[in-house]
Structure formats: C-alpha cells, structure tokens
Short mmCIF file of all heavy atoms in Angstrom, two decimals:
data_model
loop_
_atom_site.label_atom_id
_atom_site.label_comp_id
_atom_site.label_asym_id
_atom_site.label_seq_id
_atom_site.Cartn_x
_atom_site.Cartn_y
_atom_site.Cartn_z
N ALA D 58 -6.90 7.51 10.71
CA ALA D 58 -8.23 8.10 10.75
C ALA D 58 -8.40 8.83 12.08
O ALA D 58 -7.72 8.52 13.06
CB ALA D 58 -9.28 7.02 10.60
N PRO D 59 -9.33 9.78 12.14
CA PRO D 59 -9.54 10.52 13.39
C PRO D 59 -9.84 9.59 14.57
O PRO D 59 -10.68 8.70 14.46
CB PRO D 59 -10.75 11.40 13.07
CG PRO D 59 -10.69 11.58 11.60
CD PRO D 59 -10.17 10.30 11.06
N GLY D 60 -9.12 9.77 15.65
CA GLY D 60 -9.34 8.99 16.84
C GLY D 60 -8.78 7.58 16.80
O GLY D 60 -8.98 6.80 17.73
N LYS D 61 -8.04 7.27 15.74
CA LYS D 61 -7.47 5.92 15.61
C LYS D 61 -5.95 5.99 15.51
O LYS D 61 -5.39 7.03 15.17
CB LYS D 61 -8.06 5.21 14.40
CG LYS D 61 -9.55 4.93 14.51
CD LYS D 61 -10.01 4.05 13.38
CE LYS D 61 -11.49 3.67 13.54
NZ LYS D 61 -11.95 2.76 12.46
N GLN D 62 -5.31 4.85 15.74
CA GLN D 62 -3.87 4.79 15.60
C GLN D 62 -3.47 4.70 14.14
O GLN D 62 -4.26 4.24 13.30
CB GLN D 62 -3.34 3.56 16.36
CG GLN D 62 -3.38 3.68 17.88
CD GLN D 62 -2.63 2.56 18.56
OE1 GLN D 62 -2.59 1.43 18.07
NE2 GLN D 62 -2.00 2.87 19.68
N ARG D 63 -2.26 5.13 13.87
CA ARG D 63 -1.73 4.99 12.51
C ARG D 63 -1.54 3.50 12.23
O ARG D 63 -1.03 2.76 13.07
CB ARG D 63 -0.42 5.75 12.38
CG ARG D 63 0.10 5.88 10.97
CD ARG D 63 1.31 6.78 10.91
NE ARG D 63 1.01 8.14 11.29
CZ ARG D 63 1.84 9.16 11.13
NH1 ARG D 63 3.04 8.95 10.59
NH2 ARG D 63 1.52 10.37 11.52
N GLU D 64 -1.93 3.07 11.02
CA GLU D 64 -1.82 1.67 10.66
C GLU D 64 -1.18 1.49 9.31
O GLU D 64 -1.31 2.35 8.42
CB GLU D 64 -3.22 1.02 10.65
CG GLU D 64 -4.17 1.59 9.63
CD GLU D 64 -5.50 0.85 9.55
OE1 GLU D 64 -5.69 -0.15 10.29
OE2 GLU D 64 -6.35 1.24 8.73
N LEU D 65 -0.52 0.37 9.14
CA LEU D 65 0.09 0.03 7.85
C LEU D 65 -1.00 -0.30 6.85
O LEU D 65 -1.92 -1.06 7.14
CB LEU D 65 1.03 -1.17 8.01
CG LEU D 65 1.62 -1.72 6.72
CD1 LEU D 65 2.60 -0.72 6.12
CD2 LEU D 65 2.28 -3.06 6.95
N VAL D 66 -0.88 0.28 5.66
CA VAL D 66 -1.78 -0.05 4.55
C VAL D 66 -1.10 -1.03 3.61
O VAL D 66 -1.65 -2.09 3.28
CB VAL D 66 -2.19 1.22 3.80
CG1 VAL D 66 -3.07 0.86 2.59
CG2 VAL D 66 -2.90 2.20 4.72
N ALA D 67 0.11 -0.68 3.17
CA ALA D 67 0.85 -1.53 2.24
C ALA D 67 2.30 -1.12 2.28
O ALA D 67 2.62 0.05 2.54
CB ALA D 67 0.30 -1.43 0.83
N ALA D 68 3.18 -2.07 2.01
CA ALA D 68 4.60 -1.80 1.96
C ALA D 68 5.26 -2.69 0.92
O ALA D 68 4.78 -3.80 0.65
CB ALA D 68 5.24 -2.01 3.33
N ILE D 69 6.36 -2.18 0.35
CA ILE D 69 7.11 -2.93 -0.65
C ILE D 69 8.59 -2.72 -0.39
O ILE D 69 9.04 -1.59 -0.20
CB ILE D 69 6.70 -2.50 -2.07
CG1 ILE D 69 7.45 -3.31 -3.13
CG2 ILE D 69 6.86 -0.99 -2.30
CD1 ILE D 69 6.90 -3.10 -4.54
N ASP D 70 9.35 -3.81 -0.39
CA ASP D 70 10.79 -3.64 -0.19
C ASP D 70 11.52 -3.63 -1.54
O ASP D 70 10.90 -3.80 -2.59
CB ASP D 70 11.34 -4.67 0.79
CG ASP D 70 11.40 -6.08 0.21
OD1 ASP D 70 11.24 -6.25 -1.01
OD2 ASP D 70 11.57 -7.03 1.00
N LYS D 71 12.82 -3.39 -1.50
CA LYS D 71 13.54 -3.23 -2.78
C LYS D 71 13.64 -4.53 -3.55
O LYS D 71 13.96 -4.50 -4.73
CB LYS D 71 14.91 -2.61 -2.54
CG LYS D 71 15.85 -3.42 -1.68
CD LYS D 71 17.15 -2.64 -1.49
CE LYS D 71 18.11 -3.40 -0.59
NZ LYS D 71 19.38 -2.63 -0.39
N GLY D 72 13.35 -5.65 -2.88
CA GLY D 72 13.30 -6.91 -3.58
C GLY D 72 11.94 -7.21 -4.19
O GLY D 72 11.76 -8.24 -4.84
N GLY D 73 11.00 -6.31 -3.97
CA GLY D 73 9.66 -6.47 -4.53
C GLY D 73 8.68 -7.22 -3.64
O GLY D 73 7.55 -7.48 -4.05
N ARG D 74 9.11 -7.57 -2.44
CA ARG D 74 8.19 -8.24 -1.53
C ARG D 74 7.17 -7.23 -1.00
O ARG D 74 7.51 -6.13 -0.60
CB ARG D 74 8.96 -8.87 -0.37
CG ARG D 74 9.72 -10.13 -0.77
CD ARG D 74 10.48 -10.69 0.40
NE ARG D 74 11.56 -9.83 0.80
CZ ARG D 74 12.81 -9.95 0.35
NH1 ARG D 74 13.11 -10.87 -0.53
NH2 ARG D 74 13.74 -9.12 0.79
N ILE D 75 5.91 -7.63 -1.00
CA ILE D 75 4.80 -6.75 -0.69
C ILE D 75 3.97 -7.30 0.46
O ILE D 75 3.78 -8.52 0.56
CB ILE D 75 3.89 -6.55 -1.93
CG1 ILE D 75 4.63 -5.78 -3.02
CG2 ILE D 75 2.58 -5.86 -1.58
CD1 ILE D 75 3.87 -5.70 -4.33
N GLN D 76 3.49 -6.41 1.30
CA GLN D 76 2.51 -6.78 2.29
C GLN D 76 1.38 -5.77 2.29
O GLN D 76 1.59 -4.59 2.00
CB GLN D 76 3.13 -6.90 3.70
CG GLN D 76 3.71 -5.64 4.25
CD GLN D 76 4.28 -5.83 5.66
OE1 GLN D 76 5.44 -5.56 5.91
NE2 GLN D 76 3.45 -6.27 6.57
N TYR D 77 0.18 -6.28 2.55
CA TYR D 77 -1.02 -5.44 2.60
C TYR D 77 -1.75 -5.67 3.91
O TYR D 77 -1.76 -6.77 4.46
CB TYR D 77 -1.99 -5.80 1.47
CG TYR D 77 -1.53 -5.45 0.08
CD1 TYR D 77 -1.08 -6.44 -0.79
CD2 TYR D 77 -1.57 -4.13 -0.39
CE1 TYR D 77 -0.67 -6.14 -2.08
CE2 TYR D 77 -1.17 -3.82 -1.68
CZ TYR D 77 -0.72 -4.83 -2.51
OH TYR D 77 -0.32 -4.51 -3.78
N ALA D 78 -2.44 -4.64 4.37
CA ALA D 78 -3.39 -4.83 5.45
C ALA D 78 -4.54 -5.66 4.92
O ALA D 78 -4.93 -5.55 3.75
CB ALA D 78 -3.91 -3.48 5.93
N ASP D 79 -5.11 -6.50 5.76
CA ASP D 79 -6.20 -7.37 5.32
C ASP D 79 -7.37 -6.55 4.77
O ASP D 79 -8.05 -6.97 3.84
CB ASP D 79 -6.69 -8.24 6.49
CG ASP D 79 -5.72 -9.34 6.84
OD1 ASP D 79 -4.83 -9.66 6.02
OD2 ASP D 79 -5.83 -9.88 7.95
N SER D 80 -7.57 -5.37 5.33
CA SER D 80 -8.73 -4.56 4.96
C SER D 80 -8.64 -4.00 3.53
O SER D 80 -9.65 -3.53 3.00
CB SER D 80 -8.90 -3.41 5.94
OG SER D 80 -7.75 -2.60 5.98
N VAL D 81 -7.44 -4.02 2.94
CA VAL D 81 -7.29 -3.44 1.60
C VAL D 81 -6.92 -4.47 0.55
O VAL D 81 -6.85 -4.13 -0.64
CB VAL D 81 -6.27 -2.29 1.60
CG1 VAL D 81 -6.62 -1.25 2.67
CG2 VAL D 81 -4.84 -2.79 1.76
N LYS D 82 -6.68 -5.70 0.95
CA LYS D 82 -6.29 -6.73 -0.02
C LYS D 82 -7.36 -6.89 -1.09
O LYS D 82 -8.55 -6.93 -0.81
CB LYS D 82 -6.09 -8.07 0.71
CG LYS D 82 -4.79 -8.15 1.48
CD LYS D 82 -4.65 -9.52 2.17
CE LYS D 82 -3.35 -9.56 2.96
NZ LYS D 82 -3.22 -10.84 3.72
N GLY D 83 -6.90 -6.95 -2.34
CA GLY D 83 -7.82 -7.08 -3.46
C GLY D 83 -8.36 -5.77 -3.98
O GLY D 83 -8.99 -5.73 -5.04
N ARG D 84 -8.14 -4.68 -3.23
CA ARG D 84 -8.62 -3.37 -3.66
C ARG D 84 -7.49 -2.38 -3.92
O ARG D 84 -7.59 -1.53 -4.81
CB ARG D 84 -9.56 -2.76 -2.60
CG ARG D 84 -10.78 -3.61 -2.28
CD ARG D 84 -11.75 -2.87 -1.35
NE ARG D 84 -11.14 -2.57 -0.04
CZ ARG D 84 -11.05 -1.34 0.45
NH1 ARG D 84 -11.48 -0.30 -0.24
NH2 ARG D 84 -10.52 -1.15 1.65
N PHE D 85 -6.43 -2.46 -3.15
CA PHE D 85 -5.29 -1.54 -3.27
C PHE D 85 -4.11 -2.29 -3.87
O PHE D 85 -3.91 -3.48 -3.60
CB PHE D 85 -4.89 -1.00 -1.90
CG PHE D 85 -5.87 -0.05 -1.27
CD1 PHE D 85 -7.15 0.12 -1.76
CD2 PHE D 85 -5.50 0.67 -0.14
CE1 PHE D 85 -8.06 1.00 -1.18
CE2 PHE D 85 -6.38 1.55 0.47
CZ PHE D 85 -7.66 1.70 -0.04
N THR D 86 -3.30 -1.54 -4.64
CA THR D 86 -2.09 -2.10 -5.21
C THR D 86 -0.93 -1.13 -4.99
O THR D 86 -1.03 0.05 -5.37
CB THR D 86 -2.25 -2.37 -6.70
OG1 THR D 86 -3.36 -3.26 -6.93
CG2 THR D 86 -0.98 -3.00 -7.28
N ILE D 87 0.13 -1.62 -4.39
CA ILE D 87 1.33 -0.80 -4.20
C ILE D 87 2.35 -1.17 -5.27
O ILE D 87 2.46 -2.34 -5.66
CB ILE D 87 1.91 -0.99 -2.77
CG1 ILE D 87 2.99 0.05 -2.49
CG2 ILE D 87 2.41 -2.41 -2.56
CD1 ILE D 87 3.44 0.09 -1.03
N SER D 88 3.07 -0.18 -5.74
CA SER D 88 4.12 -0.42 -6.73
C SER D 88 5.24 0.60 -6.52
O SER D 88 5.06 1.61 -5.84
CB SER D 88 3.57 -0.36 -8.15
OG SER D 88 3.03 0.94 -8.42
N ARG D 89 6.35 0.30 -7.14
CA ARG D 89 7.53 1.14 -6.97
C ARG D 89 8.21 1.27 -8.31
O ARG D 89 8.27 0.31 -9.07
CB ARG D 89 8.45 0.46 -5.93
CG ARG D 89 9.51 1.30 -5.29
CD ARG D 89 10.03 0.55 -4.05
NE ARG D 89 11.22 1.16 -3.54
CZ ARG D 89 11.89 0.72 -2.46
NH1 ARG D 89 11.45 -0.33 -1.80
NH2 ARG D 89 12.98 1.34 -2.06
N ASP D 90 8.75 2.44 -8.64
CA ASP D 90 9.37 2.62 -9.96
C ASP D 90 10.74 1.97 -9.98
O ASP D 90 11.27 1.53 -8.98
CB ASP D 90 9.42 4.11 -10.29
CG ASP D 90 10.46 4.85 -9.48
OD1 ASP D 90 10.86 4.37 -8.39
OD2 ASP D 90 10.90 5.93 -9.91
N ASN D 91 11.32 1.91 -11.18
CA ASN D 91 12.58 1.18 -11.36
C ASN D 91 13.71 1.80 -10.55
O ASN D 91 14.63 1.09 -10.12
CB ASN D 91 12.96 1.13 -12.83
CG ASN D 91 12.06 0.20 -13.61
OD1 ASN D 91 11.44 -0.70 -13.05
ND2 ASN D 91 11.97 0.42 -14.90
N SER D 92 13.66 3.10 -10.33
CA SER D 92 14.72 3.71 -9.55
C SER D 92 14.55 3.44 -8.05
O SER D 92 15.43 3.73 -7.25
CB SER D 92 14.72 5.23 -9.76
OG SER D 92 13.59 5.84 -9.16
N LYS D 93 13.37 2.90 -7.71
CA LYS D 93 13.03 2.53 -6.34
C LYS D 93 12.98 3.74 -5.41
O LYS D 93 13.12 3.61 -4.20
CB LYS D 93 14.01 1.48 -5.78
CG LYS D 93 14.24 0.29 -6.69
CD LYS D 93 13.93 -1.00 -6.02
CE LYS D 93 14.20 -2.23 -6.83
NZ LYS D 93 13.90 -2.21 -8.21
N THR D 94 12.73 4.94 -6.00
CA THR D 94 12.62 6.13 -5.18
C THR D 94 11.24 6.74 -5.19
O THR D 94 11.01 7.77 -4.56
CB THR D 94 13.66 7.18 -5.62
OG1 THR D 94 13.42 7.53 -6.98
CG2 THR D 94 15.07 6.64 -5.47
N THR D 95 10.32 6.15 -5.94
CA THR D 95 8.93 6.61 -5.98
C THR D 95 8.04 5.41 -5.74
O THR D 95 8.24 4.35 -6.34
CB THR D 95 8.58 7.28 -7.31
OG1 THR D 95 9.48 8.37 -7.52
CG2 THR D 95 7.15 7.78 -7.31
N VAL D 96 7.06 5.61 -4.88
CA VAL D 96 6.12 4.53 -4.60
C VAL D 96 4.71 5.04 -4.87
O VAL D 96 4.42 6.22 -4.67
CB VAL D 96 6.28 4.04 -3.14
CG1 VAL D 96 5.88 5.11 -2.13
CG2 VAL D 96 5.51 2.75 -2.90
N TYR D 97 3.87 4.13 -5.35
CA TYR D 97 2.50 4.47 -5.71
C TYR D 97 1.53 3.57 -4.94
O TYR D 97 1.86 2.44 -4.58
CB TYR D 97 2.27 4.26 -7.21
CG TYR D 97 3.26 4.97 -8.09
CD1 TYR D 97 4.40 4.32 -8.56
CD2 TYR D 97 3.08 6.31 -8.45
CE1 TYR D 97 5.33 4.98 -9.36
CE2 TYR D 97 3.99 6.97 -9.24
CZ TYR D 97 5.11 6.30 -9.70
OH TYR D 97 6.00 6.96 -10.49
N LEU D 98 0.34 4.09 -4.73
CA LEU D 98 -0.72 3.29 -4.15
C LEU D 98 -1.98 3.52 -4.99
O LEU D 98 -2.55 4.59 -4.96
CB LEU D 98 -0.97 3.68 -2.69
CG LEU D 98 -1.98 2.79 -1.95
CD1 LEU D 98 -1.41 1.37 -1.76
CD2 LEU D 98 -2.35 3.38 -0.59
N GLN D 99 -2.34 2.51 -5.74
CA GLN D 99 -3.58 2.55 -6.51
C GLN D 99 -4.70 2.02 -5.62
O GLN D 99 -4.63 0.88 -5.17
CB GLN D 99 -3.47 1.70 -7.77
CG GLN D 99 -4.72 1.63 -8.61
CD GLN D 99 -5.09 2.99 -9.22
OE1 GLN D 99 -4.23 3.71 -9.70
NE2 GLN D 99 -6.37 3.33 -9.17
N MET D 100 -5.69 2.85 -5.39
CA MET D 100 -6.79 2.49 -4.51
C MET D 100 -8.08 2.40 -5.30
O MET D 100 -8.53 3.42 -5.85
CB MET D 100 -6.91 3.52 -3.38
CG MET D 100 -5.63 3.73 -2.60
SD MET D 100 -5.83 4.82 -1.18
CE MET D 100 -6.14 6.37 -2.01
N ASN D 101 -8.64 1.22 -5.40
CA ASN D 101 -9.90 0.99 -6.12
C ASN D 101 -10.99 0.55 -5.14
O ASN D 101 -10.70 0.15 -4.00
CB ASN D 101 -9.69 -0.09 -7.17
CG ASN D 101 -8.68 0.29 -8.22
OD1 ASN D 101 -8.52 1.47 -8.56
ND2 ASN D 101 -8.00 -0.71 -8.75
N SER D 102 -12.22 0.63 -5.60
CA SER D 102 -13.37 0.22 -4.78
C SER D 102 -13.29 0.84 -3.38
O SER D 102 -13.47 0.16 -2.36
CB SER D 102 -13.41 -1.32 -4.67
OG SER D 102 -13.49 -1.91 -5.96
N LEU D 103 -13.06 2.13 -3.36
CA LEU D 103 -12.88 2.80 -2.08
C LEU D 103 -14.16 2.79 -1.25
O LEU D 103 -15.27 2.85 -1.79
CB LEU D 103 -12.41 4.24 -2.30
CG LEU D 103 -10.92 4.36 -2.64
CD1 LEU D 103 -10.61 5.68 -3.32
CD2 LEU D 103 -10.08 4.21 -1.37
N LYS D 104 -13.98 2.71 0.06
CA LYS D 104 -15.09 2.66 1.00
C LYS D 104 -14.97 3.85 1.96
O LYS D 104 -13.87 4.37 2.18
CB LYS D 104 -15.03 1.37 1.82
CG LYS D 104 -15.02 0.09 0.99
CD LYS D 104 -14.83 -1.13 1.89
CE LYS D 104 -14.80 -2.42 1.08
NZ LYS D 104 -14.60 -3.60 1.93
N PRO D 105 -16.09 4.26 2.56
CA PRO D 105 -16.01 5.37 3.52
C PRO D 105 -15.00 5.09 4.64
O PRO D 105 -14.36 6.02 5.13
CB PRO D 105 -17.43 5.45 4.06
CG PRO D 105 -18.28 4.98 2.92
CD PRO D 105 -17.48 3.87 2.28
#
C-alpha cells in the first residue's frame, strides 16, 4: 500500500502447505493448479 512496506498476503508451496497473513485469514484463499505453475488468490469480504 502507499507509504507502507511490501507484506506477505498468502503463500503456498508445492506440497500444498499454506500460510496467510493474519489480516486476511478467513477472507482470502490461495490455490495452485495441478501443474503448479499458476496461482490464484480469491479475495472475499474485501475492506478498504
């Protein structure tokens, strides 16, 4: 965000282990396709 440092939102490794920032838990979902070369971030209940 403007004036702020870059921060991790979510990550997924090739074994399927996932981590989320506390601020997005329960609202965002990260996923990866079977080829493991495309990653998605579904963002729900978005806030300003």
Side-chain angles (χ1 to χ4, degrees):
K61 295 189 176 182
Q62 288 190 326
R63 191 173 296 190
E64 62 175 359
L65 174 69
V66 177
I69 181 170
D70 71 13
K71 62 183 178 181
R74 286 179 292 268
I75 292 173
Q76 62 179 124
Y77 292 105
D79 287 343
S80 59
V81 306
K82 284 180 181 176
R84 301 187 297 122
F85 291 11
T86 302
I87 191 170
S88 61
R89 198 165 168 180
D90 72 338
N91 288 337
S92 70
K93 311 236 183 320
T94 59
T95 302
V96 66
Y97 307 95
L98 186 67
Q99 178 66 43
M100 305 186 292
N101 298 329
S102 302
L103 282 160
K104 303 175 181 179

